[in-house]
Amino acid sequence: MASTVDSAAEQLSKLGIDGAFADSAPNLKKNLHLLSSEQVELAKMLMEMGQSHLFEKWAAPGVDDNEKKAFFDQVAKLNSSYPGGLKSYIKTARELLADSKAGKNPFDGFTPSVPTGEVLKFGDDTFINYEQAGVKEAKNAAFVLVAGGLGERLGYNGIKVALPAETTTGTCFLQNYIEYILALQESSCRLAEGKCQEIPFAIMTSDDTHSRTQELLESNSYFGMKPTQVKLLKQEKVACLDDNDARLAMDPKNKYRIQTKPHGHGDVHALLYSSGLLKEWHDAGLKWVLFFQDTNGLLFKAIPASLGVSATKQYHVNSLAVPRKAKEAIGGITRLTHADGRSMVINVEYNQLDPLLRATGFPDGDVNCETGYSPFPGNINQLILELGPYMEELKKTGGAIKEFVNPKYKDASKTSFKSSTRLECMMQDYPKTLPPSAKVGFTVMDTWLAYAPVKNNPEDAAKVPKGNPYHSATSGEMAIYCANSLILRKAGAQVDDPVQEVFNGQEVEVWPRLTWKPKWGLTFSEIKNKVSGSCSVSQKSTMVIKGRNVVLEDLSLNGALIIDSVDDAEVRVGGKVQNKGWTLEPVDHKDTSVPEEIRIRGFKINKLEQLERSYSEPGKFSLKP
Ligand code: UGB
């Protein structure tokens, strides 16, 4: 043993390395000569930052040497992917853990109040005008999807963006998003007098989702987008922390690895900045960046109007919101006013809103008011940022977002954790560092129009208190049919009321299964122009419109109707369509003979009979059975 140490010491001196810094970590010291000079620097940093325990179980030189190098590869990655490096991560962690132990409230000194924002009503003149302004502005926008989350609450084995948003057409979320962006691009381009450009689309992935997202895009020819239009940015995980001293946690399965966990969707800002994408977009003359999440099938119905609000009001930050039920698991948009006069409009996360209210003179906490909703609008985490001021801010911060830590303590002494924790950050916390002069606003839309995420597994969804949204695959799909039915009603069609049914233990409204491609109806005005005369749709009906120029004219639908047509074909659909249609057949979420993406909804579609027509040539056509 002594000879190994001696020879290691000799080798160190030959390499010109003073190993004294590793005196308190003998197992590291013995192995130092195996390391490159960069790795030795990283080892010094770890020692300085009180991380000697990481080397306690290291074997003698000659054993596991490749694993030791791999350990430092991991450390180098953790160091380079965090703004300010690992040293800064550990320092921040110590501060935040101390605050957490002391029970310090991050909102200390702030009083919450209900902010005022733009409240839109679907289909009225203001809404229509904002939609038009938004479509016009879309040519100056870039879209960013945060899709690095594993979706633990949903428990689906695939990536969430690959899930069908609805099973009538089987269109997955990613396809739906891309088709909406392409439809916006085309419509905006038609309105533009100047040169048209492609709308860039960035997707933040993580190790959990990256390769499967790439495969989904590649195997579907990017759903019609140019591959160069789509950029994938992979977020890295951050080191886990074992105790209040921010000692990094070892991976329980490998003594040469640090345990890591996701840092949260807030990473998106640093990645957009460090990748150079923001600068590229700015240089290309773009003006807006729109952020959105992975499983909201309604979202793009709200985009044109909310972008119109941003453009008209010149908001630097515009958060899209919906009425929120008290204690619903979405953050509340809140005005926070500090005793010193500072004030900001910001998302307060759902687990913080109730204690904050109780601590500041609202003894009942987060409760519904006379409207049946919380007075604080619900953040749906769709943000529209004006690119210029966003770039300026990120030049100062590098995209670092205020972090938080949420350790689960073993007991009231708060000295040890039940399991390792880590720092986290959220994309909606971006406005926290903005100066008071920044124009931060929000836009409230009807929930039926804008928000139906798929986040909860069937069992948890079935336990959601009555009256609160399920946020499941079942409710997410039903919400699309509901929204489309209500939109068609507003456009003048007579659409039957829904029936109540129970799928996977969740009572839902089943509306006619109406779907259309985004290019058919991007805005309400566009849809209104394509519905004329006296149209009616029965509750048992299904309709799929895949063509751009399909006009519904005196159509009476009681069954299933599927129309596909090329862009240059104008198809007028009318008359009486009557057939057995497509029915919904209950399935159990535990029945593994049914594919997972179907059984998590609790029903499958039985295609009994339909009228299906396809128009592949340009021209004017009439379909009147
Ligand atoms: N995501 C990432 O890309 N990376 C990560 O590390 C983590 C997530 P969740 P959450 O709209 O319903 C948010 O888990 O975080 C992506 C808001 O904070 O679905 O519980 C992930 O892929 C909350 O204020 O949601 O809650 C997904 O696309 C409220 O608005 C997105 O981030 C809530 O969403 C959100 O991740 C909501």
Side-chain angles (χ1 to χ4, degrees), residues 197-381:
Q197 48 190 2
E198 288 162 6
I199 296 181
F201 180 34
I203 308 176
M204 181 170 81
T205 57
S206 66
D207 277 327
D208 296 326
T209 61
H210 186 82
S211 56
R212 286 181 288 175
T213 308
Q214 196 146 27
E215 269 162 39
L216 181 66
L217 287 164
E218 281 167 8
S219 58
N220 289 285
S221 310
Y222 286 74
F223 297 110
M225 224 174 218
K226 291 203 181 126
T228 47
Q229 209 172 338
V230 186
K231 290 268 177 339
L232 263 53
L233 301 173
K234 185 158 76 73
Q235 65 175 145
E236 297 299 336
K237 291 184 177 164
V238 287
C240 290
L241 308 157
D242 254 346
D243 58 24
N244 286 328
D245 287 333
R247 279 155 47 105
L248 303 184
M250 297 302 314
D251 183 331
K253 292 190 211 112
N254 185 342
K255 62 182 174 184
Y256 299 104
R257 288 295 181 286
I258 294 168
Q259 190 184 23
T260 59
K261 283 188 184 165
H263 189 219
H265 35 68
D267 278 347
V268 71
H269 302 293
L271 274 175
L272 284 174
Y273 185 72
S274 64
S275 64
L277 261 191
L278 283 188
K279 186 169 179 310
E280 206 177 282
W281 294 345
H282 193 252
D283 292 349
L286 298 187
K287 202 169 167 207
W288 307 101
V289 188
L290 288 92
F291 295 84
F292 62 105
Q293 301 193 151
D294 51 16
T295 59
N296 184 3
L298 297 182
L299 175 83
F300 273 83
K301 295 187 192 295
I303 293 253
S306 44
L307 181 55
V309 170
S310 276
T312 312
K313 305 254 161 188
Q314 300 190 319
Y315 280 152
H316 295 172
V317 179
N318 182 12
S319 302
L320 201 53
V322 295
R324 172 181 180 277
K325 286 275 180 192
K327 304 199 173 60
E328 189 180 330
I330 62 176
I333 309 256
T334 312
R335 174 171 291 285
L336 293 177
T337 311
H338 199 271
D340 65 12
R342 276 178 294 147
S343 166
M344 59 181 163
V345 175
I346 194 86
N347 171 69
V348 176
E349 209 52 354
Y350 41 89
N351 54 345
Q352 294 175 321
L353 188 58
D354 186 74
L356 173 66
L357 288 166
R358 285 176 197 277
T360 49
F362 303 86
D364 298 330
D366 181 16
V367 283
N368 292 327
C369 62
E370 63 286 352
T371 59
Y373 289 93
S374 155
F376 298 93
N379 165 45
I380 62 170
N381 244 15

Side-chain angles (χ1 to χ4, degrees), residues 488 491-493 520 526-533 535 551-553:
L488 269 205
W520 183 77
E526 221 177 327
I527 294 170
K528 233 168 52 170
N529 288 335
K530 289 175 179 168
V531 180
S532 73
C535 291
V551 179
L552 310 180
E553 202 174 50

Side-chain angles (χ1 to χ4, degrees), residues 451-495:
Y451 188 58
V454 176
K455 296 193 182 221
N456 291 325
N457 62 57
E459 271 160 20
D460 290 346
K463 287 184 217 144
V464 164
K466 206 168 164 51
N468 275 27
Y470 298 118
H471 292 172
S472 66
T474 317
S475 63
E477 174 157 358
M478 290 303 157
I480 293 172
Y481 304 141
C482 168
N484 289 346
S485 296
L486 292 176
I487 291 169
L488 269 205
R489 261 190 189 173
K490 188 87 187 165
Q494 189 202 315
V495 180

